[in-house]
Amino acid sequence: MASAWWPCLILALLSGLAASGFPRDPFLLLGKRSLPEGVANGVEVYSTKINSKVTSRFAHNVVTTRAVNRADTAKEVSFDVELPKTAFITNFTLTIDGVTYPGNVKEKEVAKKQYEKAVSQGKTAGLVKASGRKLEKFTVSVNVAAGSKVTFELTYEELLKRHKGKYEMYLKVQPKQLIKHFEIDVDIFEPQGISMLDAEASFITNDLLGSALTKSFSGKKGHVSFKPSLDQQRSCPTCTDSLLNGDFTITYDVNRESPGNVQIVNGYFVHFFAPQGLPVVPKNVAFVIDISGSMAGRKLEQTKEALLRILEDMKEEDYLNFILFSGDVSTWKEHLVQATPENLQEAKTFVKSMEDKGMTNINDGLLRGISMLNKAREEHRVPERSTSIVIMLTDGDANVGESRPEKIQENVRNAIGGKFPLYNLGFGNNLNYNFLENMALENHGFARRIYEDSDADLQLQGFYEEVANPLLTGVEMEYPENAILGLTQNTYQHFYDGSEIVVAGRLVGEDVNSFKADVKGHGAANDLTFTEEVTTEKITLWNRAVPSTFSWLDTVTVTQDGLSMMINRKKNMVVSFGDGVTFVVVLHQVWKKHPVHRDFLGFYVVDSHRMSAQTHGLLGQFFQPFDFKVSDIRPGSDPTKPDATLVVKNHQLTVTRGSQKDYRKDASIGTKVVCWFVHNNGEGLIDGVHTDYIVPNLF
């Protein structure tokens, strides 16, 4: 499971497959053929399908493309897929005329070396390379004999991240020609329940998208399908080229009854943490901005536009300063100042006056900003319960002062001392992005490349919005040492509003007899602790002879062998069997000192029509429709409860009007349901007698 968190560069090397072509079938080439629509350079790509299954934020994607060489000579067929940069390839195969050639997936450095060797030997190989803002491209080409068919199948996986309150799934659509069968099919299963689901495409108008797109969600399941016809793919009514060229984006979020959710699957656990409604922690921001000569023109103008928008969003509780670096370093103020309306207005004037000049002294610029934050804390110039952030933007490499990347990293690391994060923004491609990324990561931040497009200012503002609202600082996810064998990262400098912290680990055993997850962090007003607990008090799930025991105290989800069990804190337990029936067990709690009543469980069946006709039992015998008739309504012994005659199963029974509570939606109060009561323990209504359904124990 831990490997799922290691995205890397991938090679697909196809053993025994040379690039010189494949033997052709002589019966396929009897004469000239008229080429159908959608054929490019003699090759027809007649089917492309992207099939995605998302379970608990984890996406399993299979891209399948089928093509045929309709030319009279061998042709090179290329397969391009653009993948999210956080994804990793798990499988790749080529199938040519029914023969499948499996690929080998390799780590980044090994992949690059083997790729170069394979190409020099004339073998078929594919390599993942960076491609755009959020994607990397996997490309492989193969020589296909005339008349032969080829199928490319690529499988990749990724953990979807929560961004501004939504999980985002990006699918690049770029078939480059009309395709007879083009389809994107996405199934989403979230044990917590889906609260919203949307899909949009950057390459098609809403009118056309609406008829090709279907999306729906209910309960724990969601579905998105995009299936444009040939006419819907055309760039114009009479065109033969495709308008499918851009991003297809799916966004969704889940229900949150508590800040955290623990899910246990086959001996592993995943802990999702995303509290809501907490006050924002004030922040102290040092903006370290490159104004060297290379920033001249549009880049500096876009930087100014972004900073002006950012200043509009700053809260009065925040503190800030600007540190500008070129060949030397200058600052707006000598120290951090509060984001009062007056100071913000002065800051805007300063930003508008920024001018490019000189060289690039990254080292001194960063050290000045870090020193300013440290000094503000030491001299109590900023609130005690506030958090500090360094945001650095540059478009080039250091070329004056300390210019060695490794030495700059060392200086910055020592100056920060793990106290706050560094976020690096690299503007354009003429810079050492790996250096910026490594320096940010080792200081608990991250790097982001800003692309030199017309929306660069929006890219900058979008980054700031991600870190603008810290809700917790110093977040620690704690688990019992005797219950786990391995753990992913479990400490974080910040939790930002709209994001999510995910921690995964391996359990010591299949039986979860005692498991407690504590999340501790510093809030705007006080220190907070959130607890998710699994104990041995109330609920036992048996897998053959192995029991797993849980409590009603917290939200827990267990998924295993087609069964899903979700416990909603102190409310109910939902048990689902794949696409079949769902059972809901409601916990009814009463006053602990009540002289008679005790806590009890209510058992409900959802979608009972999915049960087979052979289902039986005290409840099961009524899951399928049956004939009955109520007549002769008359006064009963209680004036408020009339009697009637019920004819059912060839029996004529006296029944009494009453009411019962349905607690599926409201476990505490319930919903009143009017019904008829059958006397004598259901005699005449149920098959047999009531004692037939009583057993000494369940196991």
Side-chain angles (χ1 to χ4, degrees):
M1 180 171 181
S3 62
W5 309 92
W6 301 340
C8 60
L9 201 62
I10 302 296
L11 165 76
L13 180 63
L14 296 145
S15 310
L17 185 56
S20 57
F22 300 88
R24 70 184 189 186
D25 186 340
F27 296 100
L28 293 175
L29 300 175
L30 299 179
K32 294 284 184 181
R33 299 180 295 273
S34 60
L35 298 180
E37 188 175 49
V39 175
N41 193 30
V43 176
E44 179 189 5
V45 178
Y46 60 88
S47 174
T48 290
K49 182 170 184 179
I50 303 173
N51 186 279
S52 301
K53 295 189 181 300
V54 181
T55 302
S56 299
R57 293 77 148 170
F58 195 78
H60 177 90
N61 310 287
V62 180
V63 183
T64 306
T65 292
R66 305 179 191 278
V68 58
N69 180 7
R70 296 196 179 279
D72 294 334
T73 59
K75 292 286 183 179
E76 185 179 73
V77 180
S78 295
F79 175 69
D80 296 338
V81 177
E82 295 199 50
L83 313 172
K85 290 184 177 180
T86 54
F88 55 97
I89 295 173
T90 56
N91 192 40
F92 176 69
T93 61
L94 272 177
T95 301
I96 302 173
D97 289 339
V99 180
T100 298
Y101 302 86
N104 298 317
V105 181
K106 302 292 184 181
E107 290 279 350
K108 180 177 180 178
E109 294 304 323
V110 176
K112 188 175 181 180
K113 293 178 181 178
Q114 290 198 12
Y115 173 79
E116 294 169 351
K117 181 179 179 181
V119 171
S120 67
Q121 295 175 348
K123 294 182 179 180
T124 297
L127 190 69
V128 177
K129 296 181 179 179
S131 173
R133 301 180 184 182
K134 300 178 180 178
L135 302 170
E136 291 180 323
K137 180 179 285 187
F138 172 86
T139 302
V140 65
S141 299
V142 63
N143 216 40
V144 178
S148 289
K149 293 183 176 180
V150 59
T151 298
F152 302 89
E153 184 174 284
L154 178 73
T155 303
Y156 70 92
E157 299 177 347
E158 66 168 323
L159 177 69
L160 303 182
K161 290 190 175 181
R162 193 164 184 256
H163 175 74
K164 297 182 182 178
K166 300 175 183 177
Y167 300 100
E168 297 179 329
M169 182 176 182
Y170 291 95
L171 299 173
K172 187 70 172 181
V173 177
Q174 196 176 26
K176 300 178 183 177
Q177 64 186 83
L178 300 177
I179 296 179
K180 188 181 300 181
H181 303 291
F182 182 90
E183 182 178 5
I184 296 174
D185 191 77
V186 180
D187 287 302
I188 301 172
F189 177 80
E190 287 292 346
Q192 289 173 261
I194 298 173
S195 62
M196 64 78 60
L197 172 66
D198 198 9
E200 59 182 21
S202 64
F203 48 82
I204 193 170
T205 63
N206 288 333
D207 291 341
L208 290 175
L209 182 65
S211 57
L213 173 69
T214 59
K215 54 187 178 182
S216 62
F217 70 95
S218 178
K220 295 176 287 186
K221 299 178 182 178
H223 182 253
V224 174
S225 175
F226 177 60
K227 198 173 182 179
S229 64
L230 276 174
D231 287 340
Q232 289 173 321
Q233 296 176 42
R234 300 180 194 277
S235 58
C236 71
T238 58
C239 293
T240 58
D241 58 326
S242 175
L243 60 73
L244 304 186
N245 184 4
D247 295 330
F248 187 82
T249 307
I250 297 170
T251 57
Y252 75 91
D253 201 13
V254 301
N255 297 320
R256 300 180 191 279
E257 295 189 0
S258 64
N261 176 258
V262 177
Q263 300 184 17
I264 297 172
V265 182
N266 298 330
Y268 294 87
F269 79 89
V270 183
H271 186 186
F272 301 99
F273 180 71
Q276 296 175 308
L278 298 177
V280 175
V281 177
K283 58 188 179 295
N284 317 309
V285 188
F287 294 97
V288 182
I289 308 297
D290 182 351
I291 58 166
S292 61
S294 59
M295 285 286 291
R298 186 62 179 146
K299 282 191 284 190
L300 187 56
E301 288 305 312
Q302 289 178 315
T303 299
K304 291 181 182 181
E305 291 169 14
L307 290 175
L308 291 174
R309 288 196 184 99
I310 288 171
L311 289 172
E312 290 286 346
D313 292 337
M314 294 204 76
K315 300 174 177 61
E316 191 163 353
E317 298 80 15
D318 297 337
Y319 283 71
L320 76 154
N321 203 347
F322 292 100
I323 297 89
L324 310 182
F325 67 91
S326 52
D328 53 14
V329 178
S330 61
T331 63
W332 170 46
K333 299 287 186 181
E334 286 301 313
H335 51 75
L336 293 182
V337 296
Q338 189 173 356
T340 62
E342 297 77 15
N343 284 338
L344 289 177
Q345 189 58 48
E346 186 180 342
K348 292 175 185 177
T349 302
F350 174 79
V351 167
K352 292 175 184 177
S353 69
M354 292 191 313
E355 295 181 354
D356 62 278
K357 59 178 180 178
M359 309 287 278
T360 306
N361 191 338
I362 293 177
N363 182 78
D364 289 359
L366 277 173
L367 293 183
R368 179 75 66 86
I370 295 166
S371 173
M372 194 172 291
L373 290 173
N374 285 331
K375 192 173 181 181
R377 180 72 69 186
E378 293 166 2
E379 296 178 353
H380 305 288
R381 292 181 177 273
V382 295
E384 184 68 25
R385 285 194 173 272
S386 63
T387 185
S388 299
I389 299 172
V390 181
I391 298 176
M392 191 267 284
L393 181 143
T394 183
D395 75 330
D397 297 335
N399 55 21
V400 67
E402 179 56 71
S403 59
R404 294 170 295 173
E406 65 279 2
K407 186 60 178 177
I408 297 175
Q409 284 183 234
E410 179 185 343
N411 292 342
V412 169
R413 183 172 60 249
N414 292 337
I416 291 180
K419 294 187 291 293
F420 44 81
L422 165 66
Y423 297 102
N424 286 332
L425 305 178
F427 207 141
N429 294 308
N430 298 322
L431 46 75
N432 185 346
Y433 185 75
N434 287 338
F435 157 62
L436 297 181
E437 185 173 48
N438 291 337
M439 184 164 56
L441 289 174
E442 67 183 15
N443 289 287
H444 306 289
F446 57 81
R448 183 71 49 80
R449 191 187 294 275
I450 304 300
Y451 291 84
E452 294 185 57
D453 292 334
S454 59
D455 67 341
D457 54 329
L458 298 179
Q459 295 176 54
L460 288 166
Q461 185 184 7
F463 157 78
Y464 176 76
E465 289 172 355
E466 292 183 51
V467 300
N469 296 306
L471 301 185
L472 291 171
T473 64
V475 181
E476 298 181 2
M477 319 280 279
E478 298 179 351
Y479 308 93
E481 293 183 3
N482 60 350
I484 57 174
L485 293 176
L487 199 63
T488 59
Q489 180 182 345
N490 65 322
T491 60
Y492 293 83
Q493 283 273 2
H494 292 98
F495 170 77
Y496 294 106
D497 190 24
S499 66
E500 182 176 61
I501 293 176
V502 182
V503 178
R506 184 179 178 184
L507 299 171
V508 171
E510 294 283 339
D511 182 13
V512 188
N513 284 323
S514 179
F515 185 83
K516 183 180 179 183
D518 285 328
V519 182
K520 298 179 179 179
H522 308 299
N526 52 14
D527 291 348
L528 300 171
T529 299
F530 306 87
T531 300
E532 304 291 328
E533 187 173 0
V534 179
T535 69
T536 58
E537 287 186 13
K538 297 291 182 182
I539 303 165
T540 303
L541 177 66
W542 290 81
N543 179 13
R544 298 180 177 89
V546 180
S548 295
T549 310
F550 308 94
S551 81
W552 289 101
L553 296 178
D554 292 285
T555 299
V556 177
T557 301
V558 177
T559 304
Q560 187 170 340
D561 299 332
L563 176 143
S564 172
M565 182 195 75
M566 180 171 68
I567 303 170
N568 295 311
R569 176 182 173 85
K570 295 184 179 181
K571 290 184 178 180
N572 59 37
M573 177 179 71
V574 181
V575 181
S576 302
F577 296 90
D579 294 327
V581 71
T582 296
F583 301 96
V584 179
V585 181
V586 177
L587 172 64
H588 299 283
Q589 293 181 304
V590 299
W591 180 43
K592 293 186 179 299
K593 296 183 180 180
H594 197 285
V596 177
H597 297 302
R598 296 290 182 269
D599 291 355
F600 65 99
L601 302 177
F603 186 84
Y604 301 88
V605 181
V606 182
D607 298 330
S608 59
H609 62 279
R610 295 181 182 271
M611 303 286 279
S612 73
Q614 286 71 44
T615 301
H616 203 272
L618 189 60
L619 299 178
Q621 60 188 292
F622 301 109
F623 288 163
Q624 303 300 325
F626 62 93
D627 295 328
F628 69 93
K629 181 180 180 181
V630 177
S631 61
D632 188 23
I633 300 177
R634 55 193 182 273
S637 57
D638 184 337
T640 64
K641 298 179 179 179
D643 287 345
T645 299
L646 171 68
V647 178
V648 61
K649 297 182 180 179
N650 296 321
H651 295 110
Q652 185 170 299
L653 309 174
T654 296
V655 292
T656 301
R657 173 73 85 187
S659 65
Q660 186 60 275
K661 288 290 188 74
D662 182 345
Y663 292 94
R664 283 176 294 181
K665 294 183 178 179
D666 189 329
S668 59
I669 300 176
T671 303
K672 184 178 180 180
V673 178
V674 177
C675 54
W676 293 101
F677 283 87
V678 180
H679 302 281
N680 300 322
N681 294 315
E683 183 178 346
L685 174 66
I686 63 175
D687 295 339
V689 296
H690 71 283
T691 54
D692 295 338
Y693 301 95
I694 299 175
V695 294
N697 57 68
L698 292 177
F699 305 105

